């Protein structure tokens, strides 16, 4: 998720994290199959703002790096 471009819409493939992080992301609506859009990225490894199901969320870059996504191009992050 961290390598995606601003404004790019991607699909969550899986969450590569521990139980608590997976549950936290699931409670925020970030589960496999859902589409998310990267809205903003703070400079110097700051948090990332994403849109999930119409809701704007800000998550830390470390947690965002654990979200494995597939974009429309020929790339997987």
């Amino acid at each position: 998720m961290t390598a995606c471009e601003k404004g790019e819409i991607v699909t969550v493939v899986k969450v590569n994290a521990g139980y608590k992080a997976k549950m936290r992301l699931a409670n925020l609506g970030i589960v496999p199959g859902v589409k998310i859009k990267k809205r903003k990225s703070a400079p110097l490894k700051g948090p990332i703002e994403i849109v999930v199901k119409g809701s704007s969320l800000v998550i830390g870059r470390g947690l965002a790096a654990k979200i494995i996504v597939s974009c429309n191009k020929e790339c997987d992050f």
Side-chain angles (χ1 to χ4, degrees):
M1 181 75 230
T2 56
C4 297
E5 298 294 323
K6 178 181 171 184
E8 188 173 5
I9 297 174
V10 295
T11 304
V12 176
V13 175
K14 74 176 195 171
V15 178
N16 191 18
Y19 178 76
K20 286 186 178 182
K22 269 188 188 177
M23 290 306 296
R24 180 169 187 266
L25 290 172
N27 289 335
L28 294 173
I30 302 171
V31 292
V34 74
K35 293 193 181 299
I36 58 178
K37 178 181 179 182
K38 183 174 180 180
R39 185 180 283 176
K40 287 191 241 179
S41 180
L44 300 174
K45 299 187 179 183
I48 295 174
E49 184 178 353
I50 59 174
V51 178
V52 180
K53 297 180 183 178
S55 297
S56 181
L57 306 171
V58 178
I59 58 175
R61 192 169 294 265
L63 191 56
K66 296 178 182 190
I67 303 170
I68 309 301
V69 297
S70 172
C71 59
N72 295 334
K73 301 178 234 169
E74 294 183 17
C75 62
D76 284 345
F77 297 107

